[in-house]
Amino acid sequence: MITITRVYSDANGESHFEDFEVPLKNNGDIGFLSDDEPVKSIVFREVKPSYDYDFHNAPDRQYIVLLEGGVEIETSLGEKRIFNTGSILLVEDTTGKGHKTKNIETQLRKSIFIKL
C-alpha cells in the first residue's frame, strides 16, 4: 500500500485533509504495482526556501510528489500538517477557501505535479 494525503474542499468551501491508501498488486520480479491512472500532464517544479504562499486553490486536480524539501500545509479551518521528502499529496481543492503552503527547510523544494 502507498499512503496519500488528499486536500479537498467540502460543500461549504472549507479545505480538509484525508489520508487514503492505494492498493498494490504483486507483479512478480518487477515488484508491486497499483492500477493505471490516466493523467493529463506532468510539471517539474522548484521553489525558493523562502516560499510562503497565502490561501490559494489548486489550479488543477493533481498529485504532488515531494522530491526534496519539506512543506507545511494549512487548511482553511487552521489544521496544519507537515509533509517531507517522499510524501505524495492529491490536491483537489480547486474551489472554496483553499489552503496555505510554506517551506519548512532552508533549501530549494523540488516537486512533481501530475495533473489529472
Side-chain angles (χ1 to χ4, degrees):
M1 295 275 194
I2 298 224
T3 301
I4 297 174
T5 300
R6 178 179 173 227
V7 180
Y8 69 97
S9 296
D10 65 19
N12 295 321
E14 301 291 354
S15 56
H16 302 270
F17 294 114
E18 176 184 51
D19 296 325
F20 68 96
E21 292 183 337
V22 175
L24 303 177
K25 298 177 193 169
N26 187 342
N27 280 276
D29 292 341
I30 64 168
F32 293 80
L33 303 175
S34 70
D35 289 336
D36 286 350
E37 186 168 347
V39 300
K40 291 181 183 176
S41 63
I42 186 169
V43 175
F44 299 92
R45 183 179 187 200
E46 185 176 87
V47 296
K48 296 178 182 180
S50 60
Y51 185 85
D52 187 355
Y53 199 49
D54 205 3
F55 281 104
H56 62 284
N57 294 105
D60 295 287
R61 185 172 175 261
Q62 60 195 1
Y63 285 108
I64 299 175
V65 181
L66 297 177
L67 299 175
E68 291 181 23
V71 66
E72 177 186 85
I73 297 178
E74 180 179 346
T75 68
S76 61
L77 296 173
E79 183 181 0
K80 295 179 183 180
R81 287 199 192 177
I82 291 179
F83 300 94
N84 295 303
T85 297
S87 294
I88 303 170
L89 303 163
L90 173 58
V91 185
E92 298 184 304
D93 63 337
T94 58
T95 62
K97 298 178 182 179
H99 61 276
K100 287 183 181 181
T101 307
K102 177 172 71 172
N103 279 358
I104 58 170
E105 298 177 24
T106 56
Q107 67 179 49
L108 292 172
R109 180 169 45 92
K110 297 180 181 185
S111 55
I112 298 173
F113 289 17
I114 304 166
K115 297 181 180 191
L116 303 174

